[in-house]
Amino acid sequence: MEIQILDHTFVPYLSQEAIQAQIDRLADEIAADLKDEIPVFIVILNGAFMFAADLMKAYSHPAEISFVKMASYQGTQSTEQVSQLLGLDIDITNRHIVIVEDIVDTGNTIAELYNIINRYQTRSVRIATLFYKPEAYKKDITLDYVGFEIPNKFIVGYGLDYNKQGRNIPAIYQIKY
Ligand code: IMP
Ligand code: MG
């Protein structure tokens, strides 16, 4: 069933079950690489909170988690400006890092974050993103773990917002033009 958020209509796109299946796969892929280490998952708030919760429950190996904040989005259009990283409360020196993002669109946010993380002497840095829009991506940083490659259309739900709303919707909806 369609839903209305502010001035836009959205149509059902991905069910909770479909999302969970990909998250379970991602957790397995991460475990295959890092289960013998104690990785630090760096979760990018706000959008990745729901993905991170389900990913961490699916990842049944030792891990540490830190929640940080960066913002680069206004409405349905990505802006070029990206803010600083706030809230990193774990010393990531000599650690294996997995950045947990909700969605990679232009790649500006992930590139900025990647640069900040790379100022530390980490042992490795990997990226896990639930959604990736290849048509919009302008960077060449490798995305190690990708849940879904999706078309360049705005989506909402499962942590992702449209002008602050819709984050609590448990499934993913796509904008109807
Ligand atoms: P980027 O910097 O252009 O890659 O944008 C990344 C950020 O923009 C994400 O972390 C989201 O917060 C937001 N974003 C990008 N595409 C969407 C979308 O389709 N729906 C909701 N938020 C989005
Ligand atoms: Mg985000």
Side-chain angles (χ1 to χ4, degrees), residues 20-170:
Q20 189 61 48
Q22 294 310 307
I23 290 175
D24 291 345
R25 173 182 61 81
L26 294 182
D28 287 348
E29 289 179 14
I30 296 168
D33 293 339
L34 292 169
K35 66 173 176 349
D36 297 329
E37 310 290 342
I38 305 176
V40 179
F41 289 89
I42 298 183
V43 179
I44 315 305
L45 296 175
N46 295 321
F49 81 96
M50 209 175 275
F51 171 42
D54 286 334
L55 181 67
M56 294 301 89
K57 283 184 279 180
Y59 189 82
S60 54
H61 305 278
E64 296 178 18
I65 310 171
S66 185
F67 297 89
V68 302
K69 266 217 169 203
M70 293 186 81
S72 73
Y73 229 74
Q74 300 268 337
T76 58
Q77 293 240 317
S78 186
T79 58
E80 291 299 314
Q81 47 93 40
V82 178
S83 67
Q84 274 286 106
L85 184 62
L86 301 173
L88 185 63
D89 60 355
I90 295 174
D91 180 6
I92 60 172
T93 310
N94 289 319
R95 303 300 300 272
H96 292 280
I97 310 303
V98 180
I99 296 171
V100 180
E101 250 294 28
D102 51 354
I103 183 164
V104 175
D105 184 2
T106 63
N108 289 334
T109 307
I110 205 73
E112 182 79 12
L113 183 66
Y114 199 73
N115 290 337
I116 294 171
I117 303 286
N118 274 318
R119 290 188 207 132
Y120 297 81
Q121 300 284 326
T122 60
R123 287 187 55 199
S124 66
V125 181
R126 293 175 173 83
I127 297 170
T129 185
L130 184 55
F131 300 107
Y132 168 46
K133 294 177 176 172
E135 295 158 33
Y137 194 52
K138 294 187 297 191
K139 306 290 176 181
D140 50 19
I141 299 165
T142 302
L143 305 175
D144 303 272
Y145 312 107
V146 175
F148 297 88
E149 287 195 10
I150 61 170
N152 195 7
K153 280 188 164 185
F154 196 80
I155 58 172
V156 73
Y158 200 76
L160 288 93
D161 73 306
Y162 169 52
N163 281 350
K164 316 287 182 214
Q165 292 187 37
R167 294 193 195 276
N168 55 318
I169 298 166

